[in-house]
Amino acid sequence: MAATGDGVVLYVDRRAVNGTISPIATVRELSVQASVQVVSVCTVAHLRAGEAVAVASYLDSGSPNPAYAIQGGEWECHLSVFMVGAGAASFAETPVPVGSLADWMDQAVITAADMTTRITAPLRTLYSPVRVLTRAVAPYTSASNQRTLIPWSTAVMEECGGWRISGDGTTFTVPRSGVYLVTAFTGVQRDGTQGPYGSYQVNLLRNGQPFAVRQRQNTRIGYSTTIPLSEVLYLAAGDTVSTELMGTGTGLTWRPEPSNDGWHAFGAVMLGSTAISTKG
């Protein structure tokens, strides 16, 4: 979604049938007056039939800019939802293991039951894939130009399939090989001098090495901005995935947005359970 103005706040809301609203994610971005700023949110969630997903945005009250408008072009606004686990009753439901597929033999008699099994067995794996989600981080601080692994909270962690998280909450170990969708977003504040030189980046790491980097600027003290990430990649059983923060500037201290109310999430869900790479 593109918007003009300063301090744009973008919500993705999960609206239940009874009208209650629970925010899933929030993105704030301080932009230059009269410019166009693109903000985005991505997350993994369990949704029930009858629930709806909506997007809302408003101008932050701390912004000095009274002008605010949403750009409505076809390439400027996008909302998408796609189903990954069609039969999962909850986020933490036990996944169905990949079944073995019998070979088709010449002159073999295939009954109706055999045909049904060979069609439905692979589908059961797709109905409840391996997945993990946590929606809060533990408190931490990071000095400028220091790379800090983000500690995620295990208290709000949901998983199925045998994911392991390290004792300090910084590292997730992949339980099964396959192609995964990995998403993350986290809110960041800074302490120090007001100015345009405060920028930071959030990196996604595979086995300790960055494979995705996102950058953003934050020029206001005590004001949170958020970087969202999403990547599709092949992960082998035993691989680790983690997130890393690095802020820049002189004499600045970077810390997570303290409320933990819709500002932080890390999730991964298996898309291809039998793939041996992103090509096969």
Side-chain angles (χ1 to χ4, degrees):
M1 176 176 291
T4 60
D6 294 310
V8 176
V9 180
L10 177 65
Y11 277 103
V12 176
D13 293 334
R14 175 180 168 185
R15 302 172 183 260
V17 178
N18 61 7
T20 59
I21 302 175
S22 56
I24 292 179
T26 306
V27 173
R28 287 186 177 180
E29 176 69 23
L30 182 64
S31 60
V32 180
Q33 185 171 356
S35 69
V36 176
Q37 180 65 52
V38 177
V39 294
S40 61
V41 173
C42 55
T43 191
V44 177
H46 178 263
L47 297 174
R48 295 178 175 86
E51 292 184 334
V53 177
V55 177
S57 62
Y58 65 90
L59 187 65
D60 183 77
S61 58
S63 171
N65 185 5
Y68 178 64
I70 301 296
Q71 301 287 88
E74 180 179 354
W75 58 272
E76 294 166 313
C77 298
H78 178 72
L79 171 65
S80 63
V81 179
F82 62 94
M83 182 183 291
V84 177
S90 69
F91 197 95
E93 180 184 349
T94 303
V96 178
V98 179
S100 60
L101 300 179
D103 293 332
W104 297 92
M105 305 297 294
D106 293 341
Q107 299 180 349
V109 178
I110 305 298
T111 66
D114 292 334
M115 181 67 72
T116 300
T117 299
R118 296 188 184 192
I119 295 174
T120 58
L123 294 178
R124 292 193 185 98
T125 301
L126 300 178
Y127 288 162
S128 186
V130 174
R131 55 199 179 274
V132 65
L133 177 67
T134 182
R135 295 193 181 280
V137 296
Y140 69 91
T141 59
S142 179
S144 290
N145 305 311
Q146 172 183 301
R147 299 175 64 171
T148 302
L149 291 177
I150 298 174
W152 294 92
S153 173
T154 58
V156 291
M157 176 178 167
E158 298 177 278
E159 72 88 21
C160 73
W163 289 84
R164 300 194 311 273
I165 185 170
S166 59
D168 60 0
T170 62
T171 305
F172 296 82
T173 300
V174 178
R176 299 184 186 180
S177 300
V179 173
Y180 286 80
L181 169 66
V182 181
T183 69
F185 58 88
T186 185
V188 178
Q189 291 186 356
R190 72 177 181 88
D191 301 326
T193 306
Q194 194 95 351
Y197 48 80
S199 61
Y200 66 100
Q201 67 186 45
V202 174
N203 309 326
L204 281 176
L205 310 181
R206 175 176 53 189
N207 297 328
Q209 299 299 316
F211 68 86
V213 178
R214 302 292 188 274
Q215 295 181 327
R216 181 153 287 170
Q217 188 178 73
N218 189 341
T219 61
R220 288 169 60 178
I221 301 170
Y223 181 85
S224 298
T225 59
T226 302
I227 293 182
L229 309 92
S230 62
E231 294 287 334
V232 175
L233 74 159
Y234 173 80
L235 295 170
D239 280 353
T240 61
V241 181
S242 51
T243 51
E244 179 184 71
L245 172 73
M246 186 177 74
T248 64
T250 302
L252 303 180
T253 300
W254 299 86
R255 65 184 73 249
E257 205 287 332
S259 70
N260 271 328
D261 184 13
W263 283 92
H264 310 278
F266 174 88
V269 59
M270 180 183 285
L271 302 180
S273 57
T274 60
I276 58 176
S277 71
T278 56
K279 295 182 180 180

